[in-house]
Amino acid sequence: MRTQVAIIGAGPAGLFLSLLLDRLGIASVIVELHTRDYIENRVRAGLLEYHTVQLMQELGVGGRVALEGLEHGGIELRFNGRGRRIDFRDLAAGKCVTIYAQHEVIKDLAAARLATGKPILFEARNAQLHAIDAERPYVTFHHNGVDERLDCDFIAGCDGFHGISRASVPAGVLTVYERDYPFGWLGILAQAPPASQELIYVHHHRGFALLSMRSPEISRLYLQCAPDEDLSLWPDDRIWSELHKRFATDDGWKLTEGPITQKAVTGMRSFVVEPMQAGRLFLAGDAAHIVPPTGAKGLNLAVADVRVLAAALGHFYSSGSPALLAQYSATCLRRVWKVQRFSWWMTQLLHRFPDNNPFDQRRQLADLDYLTGSRAASQSLAENYVGLPFR
Ligand code: FAD
Ligand code: DHB
């Protein structure tokens, strides 16, 4: 097999890239480890930045998100038992965010990709990258009982944090910057109408909590837990009891309960590799960086990377100039580090740290008071939350 761009992974990064390239007339083949059913049902993120939704519209895959997505013009920050709203539409030039589950995005993108007649090779086992420093790199893998070889001009490593692309780069080329957090999130989906129309981020002395949703009937709730929390210690009634404590307000606000249909623990880390390129291999999305989920940025940052990559590849194929490809890593990293900063800042602002230093607690509360009382401070949060502009 031969193509122009071999894309490893059919997550948000790989699928968005394939549609962007298709629009530029650039051929690609997607090599994906799992089945279509698996990637279309994996429960993950749910919050789309303004620009991510706009891109879906531009690519002609915005029909369902426009109908079923929930537009949010603000969030609530709840601390000391009181809620304060941050109004994005007012503070971020009319912009808003949209709640629409990541696996629904995947369904829309995969359907559009397959409708172009170009392949997603599902259940491709043992993918390996070869000759990434040469003019003609290639990928080998096992598919439908056959050993395949895919020759290409470039490889896009879009295979997430645990994929093989980053691991294929020779030792000494990449520098890793990382930070672990001493907590994780226990996330649930519940058949319960969300108790609020907008997201609520809670600072509480028992630990952080977040109310989100997937539809007017389904709540998505998270609570801070240990990074290796044992889910068997969390029967449903304990989860609800803990959520009620953390969301409690002075004015008797009530969380709505319902049957829990999904439970999982997610660890948290900040991670970046530099550069995001090695020879003809370009890393994008979680393959190159991870953010803690507090700022809801993981998926959106993956999309931002592949916008840059598609433009650079388009420039290369139309002009023969590798200039934009050479700048790919530096261009992406400027945004990556701003998003890292924002995700770290939201995380340290809202979580309880194990040493529970009373100074830090007071400082967090002062920060929240300032943030919700100062237009300048809340505008900075709003600008980052809806998504930084691209230029
Ligand atoms: P991925 O979505 O990981 O896609 C990578 C793809 O590559 C997958 O389809 C995978 O099957 C495939 N692949 C992997 N290895 C190989 C291989 N060897 N060969 C071929 N294919 C391969 N972000 C938020 O903003 N908010 C959240 O609440 C949130 N929750 C999350 C919960 C979990 C459990 C996880 C894991 C992530 C969560 N994230 C969240 C992060 C967000 O989902 C990611 O940032 C986003 O999926 C990144 O997209 P990606 O395309 O870079 O990588
Ligand atoms: C969701 C996840 C997040 O990490 C976040 O900050 C906001 C919303 C969600 O899953 O809906």
Side-chain angles (χ1 to χ4, degrees):
M1 273 188 274
R2 155 133 201 99
T3 192
Q4 288 173 300
V5 181
I7 300 175
I8 315 299
L15 287 168
F16 267 106
L17 178 63
S18 74
L19 296 182
L20 286 162
L21 292 180
D22 195 53
R23 195 169 62 163
L24 296 167
I26 299 170
S28 64
V29 170
I30 305 181
V31 177
E32 164 60 47
L33 176 63
H34 289 106
T35 62
R36 182 173 183 185
D37 187 57
Y38 178 88
I39 65 161
E40 290 188 347
N41 289 290
R42 189 168 37 182
V43 175
R44 282 185 156 186
L47 193 130
L48 306 183
E49 282 179 2
Y50 180 80
H51 309 282
T52 302
V53 176
Q54 261 200 334
L55 183 62
M56 289 178 74
Q57 310 294 2
E58 276 172 39
L59 290 169
V61 292
R64 255 181 2 116
V65 68
L67 281 176
E68 295 169 30
L70 305 171
E71 277 193 2
H72 287 191
I75 54 168
E76 179 182 324
L77 293 175
R78 190 172 284 189
F79 56 102
N80 283 335
R82 284 186 57 197
R84 306 277 182 85
R85 182 166 189 265
I86 307 282
D87 185 338
F88 298 152
R89 285 207 172 87
D90 174 35
L91 295 162
K95 293 192 179 130
C96 61
V97 293
T98 299
I99 286 285
Y100 187 67
Q102 178 167 333
H103 62 271
E104 302 297 342
V105 176
I106 295 290
K107 283 180 199 165
D108 297 342
L109 299 177
R113 163 71 181 184
L114 293 170
T116 66
K118 313 225 167 67
I120 305 176
L121 304 178
F122 291 107
E123 295 184 84
R125 312 266 174 225
N126 193 28
Q128 297 197 11
L129 314 188
H130 306 271
I132 59 173
D133 277 328
E135 281 235 336
R136 289 280 175 269
Y138 61 99
V139 182
T140 55
F141 51 94
H142 196 73
H143 185 244
N144 281 343
V146 179
D147 285 327
E148 298 278 9
R149 171 177 164 142
L150 173 62
D151 290 289
C152 56
D153 302 331
F154 299 100
I155 302 174
C158 300
D159 49 349
F161 187 69
H162 300 288
I164 43 97
S165 295
R166 194 178 64 250
S168 307
V169 178
V173 174
L174 303 179
T175 304
V176 172
Y177 299 88
E178 68 184 319
R179 174 184 195 122
D180 278 332
Y181 297 88
F183 38 74
W185 283 9
L186 194 169
I188 62 162
L189 280 173
Q191 281 173 353
S196 160
Q197 294 209 333
E198 292 182 343
L199 271 63
I200 305 176
Y201 287 81
V202 183
H203 176 279
H204 194 276
H205 62 84
R206 296 181 67 87
F208 169 76
L210 169 61
L211 180 150
S212 180
M213 63 281 301
R214 289 293 176 264
S215 73
E217 296 83 36
I218 310 264
S219 297
R220 175 89 167 132
L221 293 144
Y222 298 96
L223 51 87
Q224 179 183 345
C225 62
D228 53 353
E229 192 74 51
D230 180 357
L231 265 180
S232 69
L233 300 175
W234 287 88
D236 296 3
D237 54 354
R238 181 175 173 207
I239 293 178
W240 288 117
S241 156
E242 190 60 34
L243 286 168
H244 281 294
K245 285 180 189 145
R246 296 191 194 182
F247 280 100
T249 60
D250 302 340
D251 62 8
W253 183 92
K254 273 270 171 294
L255 191 64
T256 36
E257 286 191 27
I260 295 178
T261 54
Q262 205 259 356
K263 271 185 216 180
V265 171
T266 312
M268 312 239 293
R269 64 155 66 88
S270 301
F271 176 97
V272 182
V273 289
E274 291 191 11
M276 289 167 56
Q277 177 202 355
R280 291 197 161 223
L281 167 65
F282 294 85
L283 300 173
D286 280 15
H289 41 69
I290 294 282
V291 288
T294 326
K297 292 292 174 209
L299 185 167
N300 297 293
L301 193 54
V303 178
D305 288 349
V306 297
R307 272 176 192 268
V308 177
L309 184 53
L313 287 165
H315 185 66
F316 175 82
Y317 283 112
S318 63
S319 72
S321 162
L324 291 189
L325 284 170
Q327 288 165 23
Y328 167 74
S329 175
T331 305
C332 287
L333 284 167
R334 284 186 67 198
R335 186 180 190 88
V336 166
W337 277 109
K338 285 180 199 143
V339 171
Q340 287 288 352
R341 181 208 70 82
F342 177 69
S343 304
W344 162 83
W345 173 78
M346 287 282 281
T347 302
Q348 62 80 36
L349 173 69
L350 290 162
H351 288 75
R352 175 194 154 116
F353 283 75
D355 62 2
N356 204 21
N357 184 325
F359 177 90
D360 284 332
Q361 277 188 38
R362 291 283 195 281
R363 179 188 55 75
Q364 286 175 324
L365 289 169
D367 210 344
L368 284 160
D369 195 15
Y370 171 58
L371 192 56
T372 51
S374 152
R375 186 171 173 91
S378 44
Q379 192 155 28
S380 169
L381 187 155
E383 180 185 40
N384 281 277
Y385 198 96
V386 301
L388 291 173
F390 277 90
R391 271 168 235 289

